[in-house]
Amino acid sequence: MVSGLALFSDGYNAQIIGYMNPLFSELYKDAGFGSTIKTRLSNSYLIGEIFGMLFFGFLIDRIGRRTGIVFATLFLVLGVIIATAAHGTTPLGMFWMMIIGRGIAGFGAGGGNCLFDRAILVAQLILFKNIQHVLLVPQKPRTKTNMSAADVVSWLQWRLISPSISDL
């Protein structure tokens, strides 16, 4: 259940800026809110996720899963608080604070993905050990390129893990 909530939170945080960009465009059109800031606001979370997956993937091998979950959650909450409380002397300063906050939140979410995806995989292997093939669904593809890559990774996981299920 916790893994499901974490994945919901990740999807929500990644998508919410898409709903806010039109509002920001209307409110801050005179302050220079253009495509560059929109792109940075949208991509900062995803870039943070990439670095979070790399960092926490390495870290949990050293310090353990529970400690990794705590630190990933702290980064996620800290980043969301920074992005939510963003303000500045200029609108551009406020947007940069939001970009940094979303990057930190993405870093924590990337760590959560790294940790919770493994937990889901282990649960599938334990719960469905009598089933020959476990369906591993790729996680929220964002573009056609990512969807193709996710399909390939899912197929590879299925081919590599399915034979070992009968060994459980």
Side-chain angles (χ1 to χ4, degrees):
M1 182 152 153
V2 174
S3 296
L5 288 174
L7 292 175
F8 170 78
S9 169
D10 177 34
Y12 174 79
N13 285 319
Q15 187 62 32
I16 191 67
I17 200 66
Y19 301 123
M20 296 304 296
N21 273 338
L23 177 68
F24 291 149
S25 294
E26 191 63 34
L27 292 175
Y28 296 104
K29 62 184 167 190
D30 297 333
F33 184 79
S35 63
T36 304
I37 295 294
K38 282 183 188 179
T39 303
R40 289 177 181 162
L41 278 170
S42 298
N43 290 341
S44 60
Y45 188 81
L46 301 175
I47 300 293
E49 274 189 315
I50 292 168
F51 285 111
M53 287 180 194
L54 294 172
F55 177 78
F56 281 100
F58 175 76
L59 185 69
I60 62 171
D61 291 338
R62 304 283 184 266
I63 64 171
R65 186 180 308 270
R66 287 184 184 168
T67 308
I69 289 172
V70 169
F71 281 115
T73 304
L74 288 175
F75 274 107
L76 176 63
V77 170
L78 176 68
V80 168
I81 289 171
I82 291 171
T84 303
H87 67 284
T89 56
T90 65
L92 186 61
M94 177 189 70
F95 288 124
W96 271 107
M97 191 170 177
M98 286 178 73
I99 290 167
I100 292 168
R102 285 183 51 80
I104 293 170
F107 185 77
N113 285 345
C114 184
L115 295 160
F116 290 125
D117 288 351
R118 290 182 187 174
I120 291 170
L121 178 61
V122 169
Q124 284 180 339
L125 292 174
I126 291 171
L127 293 173
F128 303 112
K129 63 182 174 182
N130 294 329
I131 298 174
Q132 283 295 323
H133 304 288
V134 176
L135 176 63
L136 299 175
V137 179
Q139 185 182 358
K140 62 178 178 339
R142 292 186 179 94
T143 65
K144 290 179 183 177
T145 306
N146 284 346
M147 191 160 88
S148 299
D151 289 339
V152 170
V153 169
S154 178
W155 182 81
L156 285 172
Q157 286 177 334
W158 171 74
R159 293 304 298 160
L160 294 173
I161 294 171
S162 292
S164 64
I165 293 174
S166 59
D167 296 338
L168 292 177

